[in-house]
Amino acid sequence: MNTLKTLVNSMVLEEGLKKAKPLAEQMGLESVPDEMLEMICPNLNYSGQFTPTLYARFQNVKRLLKELAEQTTPKHGHIVKFTNQYGSYDESALLLREGEIRGQNLIACVGGKNLGDLELRDYGLDMHIGCGGPFEPVSETQIQSMTEFDIHETTYNFWGQTPCANGMINIKVPMKRWILTV
């Protein structure tokens, strides 16, 4: 199994380098930065072109997600490890705040973590759910009382050039994950 994983990883890296080298040359770079491969390798099926503008946007998203992970209170865009009153459990549900849907604070149990205008606001990141719920309503008191957290690697995504099939760029980051039992 380890041999297969090594083979797959080397094939992904090889394909990533094929797409990254022209971009690096276009940007006047002598070599391909690791961060460029970090954008391209998980997104080999991306239907658009990898451009300097997209690379700059990727870097901005990565910076914003890092800033979000450093926040000391629960924010819109953080993830939550929670168990609800019926015993349903989710490892990395998305915390939505500020009345995003139906005027409630919610935890989205399922769905893509899609980034919007790419700015960090007082309440957190501008983002929405890509695939829907189910949703678990939580009170402001429950959100404010969350103090225990860990760091969990999760994937967010944003549109590349235009919304279309295979038009999202995935970015995997370590994110603050709050612990909640409702």
Side-chain angles (χ1 to χ4, degrees):
M1 183 67 160
N2 217 2
T3 306
L4 178 60
K5 186 175 181 181
T6 303
L7 177 63
V8 168
N9 288 343
S10 64
M11 291 171 65
V12 167
L13 181 58
E14 186 179 323
E15 282 300 308
L17 281 168
K18 284 180 189 176
K19 293 182 179 210
K21 284 180 182 176
L23 176 58
E25 288 173 9
Q26 183 181 2
M27 295 176 67
L29 303 173
E30 292 182 22
S31 63
V32 175
D34 288 345
E35 192 173 47
M36 191 176 285
L37 290 172
E38 187 181 329
M39 174 184 75
I40 293 173
C41 287
N43 295 292
L44 290 174
N45 291 330
Y46 175 62
S47 62
Q49 297 293 314
F50 292 106
T51 64
T53 303
L54 184 60
Y55 181 54
R57 192 162 180 221
F58 175 84
Q59 291 174 309
N60 187 37
V61 168
K62 187 175 174 184
R63 179 187 55 77
L64 286 171
L65 290 171
K66 182 178 180 198
E67 287 177 22
L68 179 64
E70 293 169 352
Q71 298 293 311
T72 58
T73 58
K75 300 285 185 183
H76 182 103
H78 278 153
I79 56 176
V80 179
K81 179 179 180 178
F82 87 106
T83 305
N84 72 10
Q85 63 200 28
Y86 307 108
S88 292
Y89 174 78
D90 196 296
E91 275 287 312
S92 62
L94 181 65
L95 177 61
L96 297 176
R97 300 204 45 215
E98 299 296 319
E100 175 80 1
I101 300 170
R102 296 182 300 215
Q104 300 178 41
N105 293 302
L106 303 167
I107 293 174
C109 304
V110 178
K113 298 168 183 83
N114 299 340
L115 302 175
D117 290 336
L118 304 179
E119 64 180 292
L120 191 58
R121 299 179 176 157
D122 289 342
Y123 63 83
L125 279 181
D126 176 33
M127 63 184 311
H128 64 278
I129 295 297
C131 305
F135 299 103
E136 181 77 28
V138 290
S139 70
E140 188 65 30
T141 305
Q142 289 169 309
I143 291 172
Q144 295 306 319
S145 68
M146 289 191 287
T147 57
E148 187 180 351
F149 66 88
D150 61 4
I151 302 297
H152 183 76
E153 191 166 82
T154 193
T155 301
Y156 293 81
N157 48 52
F158 63 93
W159 288 111
Q161 281 94 359
T162 57
C164 63
N166 295 324
M168 298 210 87
I169 297 293
N170 295 312
I171 179 169
K172 189 177 273 194
V173 294
M175 182 53 65
K176 190 167 283 180
R177 176 175 66 173
W178 299 90
I179 313 301
L180 176 66
T181 301
V182 285

